[in-house]
Amino acid sequence: MHAFRFESLTLPPEAEEMRRKVRAFLQEERDTGRYAAHRTSWSTFDPEFSKRAAKAGFIGMTWPKQYGGGEYSNLQRFVVTEEMLAAGAPGGAHWIADRQSGPQILKHGSERARQLILPKIAAGECYFGIGMSEPDSGSDLAAARTKADKVEGGWVINGTKIWTSNAHRVHYLIVLARTEPLSENRHAGLSQFIVDTSSEGIEIRPIMNLSGGHEFNEVFFKSCFVPDDMMIGKPGEGWTRVTGELAFERAGPDRFMSDIRLLVELVDKIGREPNERQAVEIGRLAAHFATLRRMSSSIAGLLERGESPVTEAALVKDVGTAFEREVPEMVRKLLPIEASLDDDDEYSQAMAHVLLHAPSFTIRGGTPEILRGMIARGLGLR
Ligand SMILES: Cc1cc2nc3c(=O)[nH]c(=O)nc-3n(C[C@H](O)[C@H](O)[C@H](O)COP(=O)(O)OP(=O)(O)OC[C@H]3O[C@@H](n4cnc5c(N)ncnc54)[C@H](O)[C@@H]3O)c2cc1C
């Protein structure tokens, strides 16, 4: 049976140096009033913030310089990610491109796609969305029915994607489509494509979320042409490519720090003399947080060694998002307040922001049932 190893990792001096750099950048952003940490998070879409973060060198950090990257290590990138989250920075415009689409193109895209797209992502000017889920294919991605037919010079896509975050404001989607008819091996015959959202044959319709905001979309492809060199990998490799992309998506600190600002506000509000219950619960949450951080940084170490820790990433995503869901519940018990986005009080605002988004934390990027199935398989239990 396979056993997990989450090796302890001591961050090297250059990672700590990077921490000082990103903290100074974020401090200046807050001091000049460019964002309000208690109301924003990694999914807040703010292109101007992304452009400034890129200028400071915080996007595409690990990529080669020839594609606009900084040639930093995964550990230096890890530090920047956790500092952005701790500061509640609004990195939503570049987040997906930096976290998964760019690395996917770098690893498996054509040379033209690399040269055309990666420098723009690293400049904070090009954003991506994820075209995986379909109306009848969310958890069961292999059931995807969107299809791509071969034509001269490329492929023609027909089908529908759903829950596509930010499709209405990103430049590209990475779309999973069937390039061969469904066969007994459901994982065969799928391929991934980089689709320009300004192409002909794409219609994007909004779906409002719980807080009344427009993040989600339904995306219709009607004979949408994609050139050959915008395929990721080779025809039929889609299943391997998409599971690799999900490993980038699941292991980072964004899977346990989405509402960390609320915890910080709670600790500030309680002050230096907590009652016994408050001390016990805050201590427990802090211990969970430290464990998650160790697991996630250990995965950054595996990535640095060129490994693809798919099962470990599923574990971090499952345990991490359960932690994120627990934070508002615990906060509500320890220091009850009337939560409102319109309140002057930052704690009340932070609570309202989290309450409206927390239900999605365990769904986006894979539900607990699916992740636990993957973990069981990784452990050789099924
Ligand atoms: C905030 C947010 C942002 C999102 N952004 C994107 C995006 O940008 N791009 C994108 O492609 N998708 C996106 N999604 C979609 C997300 O990935 C799916 O919602 C998720 O994978 C679940 O799929 P589903 O909604 O079809 O639910 P279903 O797959 O229908 O699942 C419904 C329930 O059944 C359970 N279930 C399903 N199969 C099994 C099984 N085999 N065994 C046990 N239980 C099972 C699930 O755990 C779940 O509880 C987003 C979702 C959210 C909430």
Side-chain angles (χ1 to χ4, degrees), residues 37-314:
H38 49 282
R39 293 194 64 150
T40 52
S41 75
W42 65 268
S43 45
T44 306
F45 203 96
D46 180 348
E48 294 311 315
F49 174 83
S50 293
K51 284 176 201 155
R52 290 192 298 272
K55 211 166 178 189
F58 300 132
I59 303 182
M61 289 184 64
T62 60
W63 310 347
K65 288 199 169 131
Q66 71 179 112
Y67 301 120
E71 296 188 1
Y72 295 111
S73 70
N74 278 295
L75 301 178
Q76 285 167 302
R77 180 177 182 271
F78 177 85
V79 164
V80 167
T81 308
E82 70 174 358
E83 289 296 332
M84 291 261 181
L85 293 160
H94 69 266
W95 206 267
I96 305 292
D98 180 59
R99 178 182 72 183
Q100 63 194 81
S101 324
Q104 188 77 341
I105 293 168
L106 183 64
K107 236 175 153 181
H108 307 289
S110 68
E111 190 50 37
R112 189 174 89 87
R114 287 192 198 125
Q115 288 184 13
L116 176 75
I117 296 170
L118 296 180
K120 288 191 216 156
I121 297 179
E125 290 166 359
C126 174
Y127 317 128
F128 268 72
I130 303 167
M132 296 186 194
S133 305
E134 296 186 9
D136 297 315
S137 161
S139 302
D140 186 14
L141 265 186
R145 281 193 294 193
T146 293
K147 61 172 190 152
D149 294 313
K150 188 75 191 90
V151 292
E152 172 86 38
W155 299 79
V156 169
I157 301 187
N158 281 287
T160 307
K161 295 288 171 183
I162 197 167
W163 313 123
T164 325
S165 302
N166 296 315
H168 57 302
R169 42 193 177 189
V170 298
H171 303 91
Y172 295 96
L173 301 173
I174 293 190
V175 171
L176 180 69
R178 193 155 277 295
T179 41
E180 282 165 41
L182 191 59
S183 64
E184 226 167 75
N185 177 2
R186 299 165 74 242
H187 296 161
L190 291 162
S191 305
Q192 270 195 326
F193 297 90
I194 305 166
V195 182
D196 184 334
T197 52
S198 65
S199 310
E200 264 181 48
I202 297 190
E203 189 192 337
I204 299 171
R205 287 192 206 151
I207 303 175
M208 294 304 166
N209 67 16
L210 194 63
S211 63
H214 176 195
E215 255 174 31
F216 292 134
N217 298 276
E218 195 163 11
V219 183
F220 301 89
F221 299 89
K222 292 172 193 160
S223 300
C224 173
F225 176 78
V226 182
D228 277 326
D229 54 13
M230 288 294 140
M231 175 181 267
I232 295 187
K234 296 194 185 75
E237 283 183 358
W239 187 254
T240 314
R241 298 284 79 86
V242 86
T243 47
E245 186 186 337
L246 284 166
F248 291 129
E249 183 174 344
R250 287 174 174 158
D254 38 348
R255 294 308 181 183
F256 55 93
M257 289 181 70
S258 300
D259 52 14
I260 201 68
R261 290 299 316 167
L262 180 62
L263 201 52
V264 173
E265 299 286 347
L266 173 78
V267 172
D268 283 351
K269 200 94 175 166
I270 288 177
R272 299 207 158 264
E273 290 184 21
N275 63 32
E276 192 182 341
R277 179 152 187 251
Q278 289 168 335
V280 167
E281 292 303 345
I282 289 173
R284 196 175 60 77
L285 288 174
H288 278 202
F289 177 76
T291 308
L292 282 162
R293 180 170 186 261
R294 162 150 172 193
M295 291 165 80
S296 179
S297 63
S298 165
I299 290 182
L302 292 175
L303 290 173
E304 187 61 20
R305 296 210 299 255
E307 295 181 31
S308 185
V310 174
T311 316
E312 285 85 351

